[in-house]
Amino acid sequence: MRKATVIAVGEGKDPKNISLTVLLPGKTSQKKRKYEITQEDYERMGSPDIDCELSEYECKILFCKNDEKDALDAAYRILAHCDNNRASLKRKLTERGFDEEIAESTVEKMVSLGYINEHDQLLRFVLRLANQNLYGERKIYPYLIARGYEREDIENAISELLCGDELDFEAVKEKLLREKVSDTDDKSKMRALLYKYGHDGSFDF
């Protein structure tokens, strides 16, 4: 159970809010931390004054509201640095100490705001893996699933690219063999290379 003792009450940065400074128990010593909450939440906590020890319920109100804000701030910083999907953003938030529930709600908030668009990410990912890495479908699926994308979403992205003529696995296979195989008479070597890169072993070019 998290505990806290109020040591100061004042006006928040937003004049409509309340600033609470509390002492939190640590492993070796107490630490001081300031929180800003709404007047409504302050009243829900029973309007605690200086020297008041907060109950578990009151701590939950205090920490949850501020953890949500801190998690949103952290998510904005993470997404400004690089693209993330749901799974990677959640992992990074939990690594920063946010609990799973806060991390999940923050991720969904980022999705609803349009900061995470896994469909667009998958379209770019699939094209790069095929055209630059020369991967076939059997290599692309496990690669992306390991990064937190859903199989059905990957399948939809590949289908969309194939239907739009943006992706051609036969052309990818041809480029792979042209770049990686010097002896085109060695059919077994060609098939082994195709399997290694996630393609089927057929070729007629």
Side-chain angles (χ1 to χ4, degrees):
M1 171 182 163
R2 297 172 75 178
K3 295 182 179 180
T5 301
V6 179
I7 59 172
V9 180
E11 186 180 275
K13 291 180 181 179
D14 181 336
K16 293 181 290 186
N17 292 342
I18 303 295
S19 171
L20 283 183
T21 304
V22 300
L23 278 181
L24 302 170
K27 290 183 178 180
T28 56
S29 61
Q30 292 183 315
K31 57 182 178 179
K32 184 169 65 173
R33 187 171 175 186
K34 182 179 287 188
Y35 294 89
E36 184 165 330
I37 58 175
T38 65
Q39 180 70 40
E40 181 184 2
D41 283 331
Y42 181 62
E43 291 171 1
R44 283 175 61 206
M45 292 172 63
S47 305
D49 208 342
I50 294 173
D51 293 331
C52 176
E53 185 172 305
L54 301 179
S55 68
E56 184 174 4
Y57 169 75
E58 292 160 353
C59 284
K60 187 173 182 180
I61 295 173
L62 181 64
F63 298 143
C64 183
K65 290 297 182 181
N66 285 272
D67 283 350
E68 287 173 357
K69 180 181 180 302
D70 290 346
L72 283 172
D73 290 342
Y76 283 124
R77 290 193 297 271
I78 292 167
L79 293 171
H81 184 260
C82 63
D83 242 358
N84 282 262
N85 61 5
R86 281 182 168 90
S88 61
L89 180 58
K90 180 182 174 181
R91 173 177 54 78
K92 290 175 182 179
L93 288 171
T94 53
E95 285 174 352
R96 283 161 172 74
F98 297 103
D99 68 39
E100 191 165 329
E101 186 178 342
I102 292 291
E104 286 180 353
S105 64
T106 301
V107 168
E108 293 311 311
K109 180 72 171 178
M110 293 297 103
V111 171
S112 69
L113 291 172
Y115 289 103
I116 296 177
N117 187 325
E118 292 194 346
H119 180 67
D120 286 351
Q121 290 174 12
L122 280 170
L123 294 177
R124 295 195 302 272
F125 243 137
V126 170
L127 282 176
R128 180 171 66 79
L129 292 171
N131 295 333
Q132 294 182 26
N133 296 47
L134 305 180
Y135 287 174
E137 289 187 65
R138 286 198 293 248
K139 189 88 169 179
I140 290 173
Y141 274 101
Y143 183 95
L144 294 176
I145 288 171
R147 281 153 182 77
Y149 294 99
E150 297 292 332
R151 171 173 281 276
E152 183 179 354
D153 294 334
I154 301 168
E155 182 178 356
N156 289 337
I158 290 175
S159 295
E160 182 176 329
L161 291 168
L162 289 171
C163 290
D165 295 325
E166 296 177 76
L167 179 63
D168 183 346
F169 281 117
E170 290 303 312
V172 173
K173 287 164 64 174
E174 184 176 358
K175 183 179 179 183
L176 172 64
L177 294 174
R178 187 172 62 247
E179 292 184 1
K180 304 290 185 180
V181 178
S182 56
D183 183 5
T184 54
D185 291 329
D186 189 342
K187 305 304 182 185
S188 62
K189 185 175 181 179
M190 293 169 70
R191 287 192 179 89
L193 182 68
L194 289 172
Y195 286 131
K196 178 182 178 181
Y197 276 74
H199 298 277
D200 62 59
S202 64
F203 48 85
D204 53 7
F205 36 80

